[in-house]
Amino acid sequence: MLCILAIAALGLVYFALNLPASSPSVRNGGFAPDFNLPSLSGQNLSLSDLRGKPVLINFWATWCYPCLAEMPLLEESYQKHSADNLVVIGINEGDRLADVETFVQKENLSFPILLDYDFEIGDHYQLSGYPTSIFVDKDGIIRAIYLGEIPPSQLEKNLRLIGIE
C-alpha cells in the first residue's frame, strides 16, 4: 500500500512539474505581453520596442477568409494614421513563409508582418479564433480586443481608445 502511495505521489509531482507555465490573463486594461518575432524583412521586432506608440496587433492566417478580407482595411488605416505614430503589426500564425510572402505581395501590404511559426505568441495571447485584433496604447495597456473581421466603424472606435483620432 505504501509503495502505491509513493508511486502516486511521484506521479503527481512529475505532472505538476511538467505543466505548461500559466500565462497572465490577456484582457482589457492589462499589459500586453511582450514578444519578439522575425519579420518578413528578416529583422526581429519586439512589442517592447514600440513602447510610446499606439499599436494594433492583428493575428491572422492565410487560410482564414475573414483575415484576408480585412487586410485592405488594416492597410488603409495604417496609411491614414501612420503620421499619428500608429503601428500596425500583422502576426501570421503558422503559415509557410512562401504563402505569407505571396499574400503580402498580392495585397501590397506595407505594415510589418511577423511570423509566429509555432503559434507560441498566439497561445500566449490566448487566441480563440482568427482574426483577432488587439489594440494597445502607448503605455503598453490593452484597450480593446476584437475577435473576427472588424467592421470599419469598430476599427475607428477602437483606434480612438488608443489615442488615434
Side-chain angles (χ1 to χ4, degrees):
M1 175 79 162
L2 187 57
C3 183
I4 293 173
L5 288 175
I7 291 171
L10 285 174
L12 286 174
V13 168
Y14 175 82
F15 178 75
L17 291 175
N18 288 291
L19 285 174
S22 61
S23 305
S25 178
V26 175
R27 58 178 172 69
N28 285 340
F31 279 101
D34 197 15
F35 53 78
N36 185 355
L37 289 170
S39 70
L40 281 182
S41 67
Q43 298 174 317
N44 277 21
L45 182 66
S46 296
L47 182 60
S48 58
D49 294 338
L50 304 173
R51 189 61 55 88
K53 297 181 180 184
V55 180
L56 164 53
I57 305 168
N58 179 263
F59 290 91
W60 66 286
T62 60
W63 51 262
C64 165
Y65 180 75
C67 299
L68 307 182
E70 79 177 358
M71 283 297 179
L73 176 62
L74 297 179
E75 177 64 27
E76 178 185 322
S77 191
Y78 176 66
Q79 293 295 327
K80 179 179 175 183
H81 297 294
S82 61
D84 301 322
N85 285 324
L86 175 66
V87 177
V88 175
I89 297 172
I91 298 182
N92 178 270
E93 291 286 292
D95 285 319
R96 292 177 334 132
L97 177 61
D99 294 338
V100 176
E101 289 175 330
T102 298
F103 176 76
V104 168
Q105 288 173 355
K106 178 183 166 209
E107 293 299 320
N108 201 27
L109 300 178
S110 61
F111 56 86
I113 301 294
L114 306 183
L115 305 167
D116 186 12
Y117 289 117
D118 58 6
F119 302 92
E120 181 181 349
I121 306 307
D123 289 347
H124 196 68
Y125 270 79
Q126 303 164 341
L127 298 183
S128 60
Y130 301 106
T132 295
S133 294
I134 299 178
F135 296 80
V136 181
D137 72 14
K138 63 183 180 64
D139 298 318
I141 306 295
I142 297 171
R143 296 299 175 192
I145 300 171
Y146 193 88
L147 174 61
E149 183 180 346
I150 194 164
S153 61
Q154 186 67 50
L155 176 62
E156 290 301 318
K157 177 182 173 186
N158 289 354
L159 288 174
R160 283 192 297 277
L161 294 173
I162 61 171
I164 301 296
E165 296 297 325

